[in-house]
Amino acid sequence: MSSQEHYGSRLPYKFLVGLVALVIFFLEAPLIILIIQSFTAESYLAFPPPSYGIRWYKEVLTSEDWLNSITLSLTIAAVVTPLSLVLGTMAAFALDRGPKKLKHGLQTIMIAPMVLPHIVLGLGLFKMALQLDIDDSMLAYIPAHLTITIPFVIISVGASLQTFEQSLEEAARSLGANRFWAVWYITLPIIQPALIAGGIFSFIISFDEFIITFFLTTFQRTLPIEMFSTLMYQVKPSIAAVSTLTLAVTAFLTAMLILRGQVTSGDKVIK
Amino acid sequence: MSSVELKSIVKKYGAVTAVASIDLSVESGEFVTLLGPSGCGKTTTLRMVAGFIRPTSGTLSIGDIDMTGVPPHQRTVGLVFQNYALFPHMTVRKNVEFGLKMQKVLTSERGPRVQEALELVQLEALGERMPGELSGGQQQRVALARALVIRPDVLLLDEPFGALDKQLRDHMRVELRELQQKLKISTLFVTHDQDEALSMSDRIVVMSEGKVSQVGKPTEIYEKPQTRFVADFIGRSNILAGKVENKGKTINAEGLTLPNKENVIGGDEGVSVMIRPECVEITKSDSKATSSSADVKGKVTASIYLGSIVQYSVQINKGPNLVVTQNNTGSESLKNLAIGDDVDVSFPDSAIYILPG
């Protein structure tokens, strides 16, 4: 009611609602169509599906190719996430506490991979991996993913450190904690929301990464690459089922992120 | 035995000297205040005692042990910050317990000690609260309990009342001083508020531009300032440029003739004479009061009503402009004083203080 009163007339308000609905529809429609198609019982993709079932989910979850690629992607993301958090947090501390003169230059360099065209990054990493003879292996994927996940941690933790009251650390140190324990017991728990955000970002980005990984693989296939190569041969409903599964994981993690943000933004409620 | 001793401590940041050779001691059980305007180096000095800033040169000892290069966590100092710096993610009890945990005090011993500290600041009922749920004064007390529970060699307080409103500040002032005297804990207190310094301290160290201007008891600082800076900074004061005249018997202070009771000689550059505004008495000239000892007359040029006192500017005939404060006792003579009124001005000889140097 209050928003209607605010706009004075019902017409512009209705117009606004319609506009928002339209935008949401265009954003979400492809996803919704994909999800519905994934539950088809037929052997081809059609919308709307003539019949429904979970046939393609069964197929995906019993197919060795799909399971291998899912496992590989999850394994990479599971290694990348903690490494990304530790390295990114350390970098964020260095930028926050280090010499002010160097801060801007260093930050730009460290965040650059985030905005650099991934195809350029992939090409460079490909040449490097070949030289070191580590292509088509975890030794290549993990550092490659780290280059693009670490900037997200640096940004989220860095922002959090900027508003962190450093006298809290000093208080801890005056009470007998050395620098490490002061950070461990005081700073990290307080910036925890930023750490969780950075971790979730790292996981999603690594799990979803295609371009750079594509340069580095020969026989091994991460989930996005398996999806891409399947599409090259045929368009089967299994691809819709895998997409829906991926979407579910990503959506779940993003939802956690958003909920987390709501919980902690009313600060001092952290228990 | 002194709890804290600073010898020729210097702190430079590049070409900027924050603290220029300070000597300072806090005796056992003593309450010492570092008082000065912002930027005078008082907080830098406190942070050097806490160990967060390393002096450029000089030595610093705590409990007669050289601590100059020792990191903060290896010094037993209790520190209370202006913003309290309570850990927002821990309960009051956990906040207070933190220091004991860091110092590896046995778990069984921690409980009673935390309880004791909370009782000391009358917060035993609020142990399970989060800091965000407490009022400013309560947070202040938690910070104090947290600093005291580790039984520090010295308690360091950095403008601890800055964030409180005036009523609470006055209350906490009394409470802190009582607690300090009860525990006989050596305390170094930093403030720019002279009322806090005068009311709480055993000794005050007045600082200006990185140097110590004067060290003394509150009465000495107020009544016998050693430098013009101290005379100016502490309280209101009239400082007049004087010349010794009449074969050394009188001092001519900007046209006001004063007795030279201390027989100062005064070189070519003369002397500075201080008269506190509250020592000066003014009465309306036409009130036909008994002629006062000093037959000085003046005219009121401004008056500021401050509640308990009224502050006047009085232009002395053929003399200086004096700031005069009168207690607002509600007396008629005071109420009737208006700008432009002629007044008789008097002050006892004891109100005349010659600044050394």
Side-chain angles (χ1 to χ4, degrees):
Chain A
M1 282 304 276
S2 62
S3 11
Q4 285 175 29
E5 282 158 21
H6 181 222
Y7 286 104
S9 147
R10 296 179 71 91
L11 195 67
Y13 178 71
K14 275 188 169 174
F15 174 73
L16 199 65
V17 169
L19 198 66
V20 169
L22 207 64
V23 171
I24 291 175
F25 177 75
F26 270 105
L27 285 174
E28 307 301 333
L31 295 178
I32 292 162
I33 289 171
L34 185 84
I35 293 168
I36 293 170
Q37 283 184 326
S38 74
F39 289 101
T40 183
E42 310 297 324
S43 56
Y44 54 90
L45 279 173
F47 187 80
S51 58
Y52 292 92
I54 53 163
R55 169 180 169 191
W56 294 104
Y57 285 90
K58 277 186 187 155
E59 161 143 348
V60 165
L61 294 174
T62 51
S63 140
E64 205 168 309
D65 283 349
W66 282 120
L67 284 179
N68 281 344
S69 63
I70 289 171
T71 311
L72 181 63
S73 275
L74 285 176
T75 311
I76 295 171
V79 179
V80 164
T81 302
L83 279 177
S84 172
L85 263 180
V86 171
L87 295 172
T89 303
M90 281 162 68
F93 267 91
L95 289 173
D96 189 63
R97 309 283 165 86
K100 293 276 169 283
K101 280 182 198 162
L102 296 175
K103 183 174 172 169
H104 269 290
L106 276 177
Q107 188 161 20
T108 310
I109 292 169
M110 288 200 246
I111 287 173
M114 199 167 91
V115 287
L116 230 75
H118 283 189
I119 196 140
V120 177
L121 208 58
L123 200 61
L125 286 164
F126 172 57
K127 294 294 276 181
M128 244 171 79
L130 281 184
Q131 290 274 316
L132 296 169
D133 198 24
I134 53 167
D135 62 310
D136 209 28
S137 80
M138 292 289 247
L139 283 179
Y141 310 145
I142 288 164
H145 284 197
L146 283 174
T147 57
I148 52 169
T149 59
I150 285 175
F152 284 89
V153 179
I154 293 178
I155 286 174
S156 74
V157 174
S160 186
L161 283 179
Q162 262 186 355
T163 58
F164 176 75
E165 187 59 62
Q166 281 199 38
S167 62
L168 294 178
E169 257 176 46
E170 289 181 347
R173 286 167 65 200
S174 78
L175 291 167
N178 62 25
R179 274 173 188 274
F180 177 81
W181 292 121
V183 167
W184 182 262
Y185 283 115
I186 307 302
T187 317
L188 292 183
I190 291 171
I191 64 163
Q192 190 194 28
L195 295 174
I196 291 173
I200 290 177
F201 273 128
S202 296
F203 189 93
I204 292 175
I205 290 162
S206 167
F207 189 69
D208 192 42
E209 213 296 314
F210 174 73
I211 302 172
I212 295 173
T213 320
F214 191 66
F215 278 98
L216 299 172
T217 53
T218 314
F219 301 110
Q220 285 198 328
R221 283 168 184 179
T222 62
L223 184 60
I225 289 173
E226 180 70 33
M227 284 164 77
F228 179 74
S229 28
T230 307
L231 275 171
M232 298 287 277
Y233 303 115
Q234 52 187 318
V235 182
K236 279 204 299 183
S238 56
I239 200 86
V242 171
S243 303
T244 305
L245 286 175
T246 317
L247 197 65
V249 172
T250 316
F252 173 72
L253 291 175
T254 314
M256 264 175 57
L257 201 65
I258 292 166
L259 287 177
R260 195 76 212 180
Q262 276 176 350
V263 171
T264 49
S265 63
D267 61 334
K268 284 170 185 162
V269 197
I270 332 155
K271 293 231 171 177
Chain B
M1 174 195 132
S2 37
S3 283
V4 177
E5 188 152 26
L6 279 68
K7 280 186 190 147
S8 330
I9 287 281
V10 176
K11 180 63 200 178
K12 288 183 180 162
Y13 293 102
V16 183
T17 304
V19 172
S21 193
I22 275 199
D23 291 289
L24 169 71
S25 71
V26 181
E27 303 302 322
S28 183
E30 195 183 20
F31 193 118
V32 175
T33 298
L34 293 177
L35 175 66
S38 51
C40 72
K42 58 189 194 298
T43 296
T44 307
T45 305
L46 183 97
R47 290 174 62 80
M48 286 194 281
V49 178
F52 296 121
I53 299 177
R54 205 188 170 120
T56 310
S57 65
T59 57
L60 186 156
S61 56
I62 298 173
D64 290 330
I65 301 162
D66 185 5
M67 287 281 179
T68 314
V70 176
H73 67 277
Q74 285 164 8
R75 307 181 177 197
T76 33
V77 298
L79 188 52
V80 176
F81 292 83
Q82 177 169 11
N83 65 359
Y84 320 132
L86 297 179
F87 308 135
H89 58 303
M90 295 182 187
T91 60
V92 166
R93 191 174 299 280
K94 293 275 180 204
N95 262 278
V96 177
E97 193 187 357
F98 187 81
L100 299 176
K101 190 171 154 187
M102 287 304 109
Q103 299 187 346
K104 304 200 168 57
V105 173
L106 292 175
T107 320
S108 56
E109 209 182 308
R110 284 186 219 156
R113 277 180 68 176
V114 169
Q115 193 61 27
E116 189 190 350
L118 287 176
E119 277 166 16
L120 215 51
V121 296
Q122 295 148 37
L123 279 184
E124 58 271 31
L126 301 180
E128 304 316 316
R129 296 270 187 94
M130 301 303 279
E133 299 167 344
L134 302 180
S135 70
Q138 289 169 334
Q139 292 187 21
Q140 171 75 74
R141 292 204 185 101
V142 177
L144 208 52
R146 186 179 68 177
L148 289 171
V149 78
I150 60 171
R151 294 174 187 158
D153 293 332
V154 58
L155 183 62
L156 306 176
L157 304 142
D158 186 9
E159 307 246 3
F161 306 139
L164 302 175
D165 57 50
K166 192 180 176 333
Q167 292 266 329
L168 195 53
R169 197 156 59 208
D170 292 350
H171 177 75
M172 287 303 293
R173 203 149 85 185
V174 175
E175 201 173 292
L176 174 64
R177 178 59 165 158
E178 279 175 6
L179 191 62
Q180 184 269 334
Q181 287 183 319
K182 185 169 135 195
L183 299 174
K184 295 184 178 65
I185 184 166
S186 315
T187 303
L188 188 59
F189 182 88
V190 161
T191 186
H192 65 268
D193 183 322
Q194 45 177 297
D195 292 342
E196 283 177 10
L198 291 171
S199 63
M200 296 170 79
S201 320
D202 291 317
R203 271 192 309 152
I204 297 175
V205 178
V206 184
M207 288 183 71
S208 158
E209 292 170 349
K211 293 194 187 82
V212 172
S213 280
Q214 186 175 351
V215 183
K217 292 177 189 153
T219 51
E220 291 167 353
I221 297 285
Y222 188 78
E223 288 161 24
K224 304 225 169 334
Q226 296 298 300
T227 66
R228 198 191 162 105
F229 171 80
V230 176
D232 252 339
F233 185 70
I234 314 287
R236 300 179 184 85
S237 57
N238 296 291
I239 297 171
L240 309 172
K243 275 227 178 299
V244 178
E245 284 180 348
N246 200 7
K247 293 169 191 160
K249 283 180 188 155
T250 58
I251 296 169
N252 180 347
E254 298 178 23
L256 198 61
T257 306
L258 307 169
N260 184 6
K261 55 180 173 118
E262 284 167 44
N263 296 316
V264 292
I265 296 159
D268 288 339
E269 63 270 33
V271 293
S272 291
V273 181
M274 181 186 86
I275 302 170
R276 292 289 186 190
E278 67 271 21
C279 299
V280 183
E281 194 71 38
I282 50 172
T283 45
K284 225 171 183 177
S285 283
D286 58 2
S287 65
K288 294 194 174 75
T290 51
S291 58
S292 53
S293 57
D295 53 342
V296 180
K297 293 192 183 302
K299 194 187 273 288
V300 175
T301 58
S303 91
I304 304 170
Y305 180 76
L306 294 168
S308 64
I309 58 169
V310 184
Q311 182 181 320
Y312 299 96
S313 276
V314 177
Q315 180 64 50
I316 306 294
N317 296 343
K318 293 182 193 123
N321 197 39
L322 286 186
V323 176
V324 178
T325 56
Q326 303 285 276
N327 283 326
N328 185 5
T329 54
S331 75
E332 285 304 310
S333 64
L334 184 62
K335 276 187 180 160
N336 292 340
L337 273 180
I339 292 171
D341 282 354
D342 290 315
V343 285
D344 289 335
V345 181
S346 65
F347 42 84
D349 287 354
S350 61
I352 303 163
Y353 175 72
I354 314 287
L355 284 171

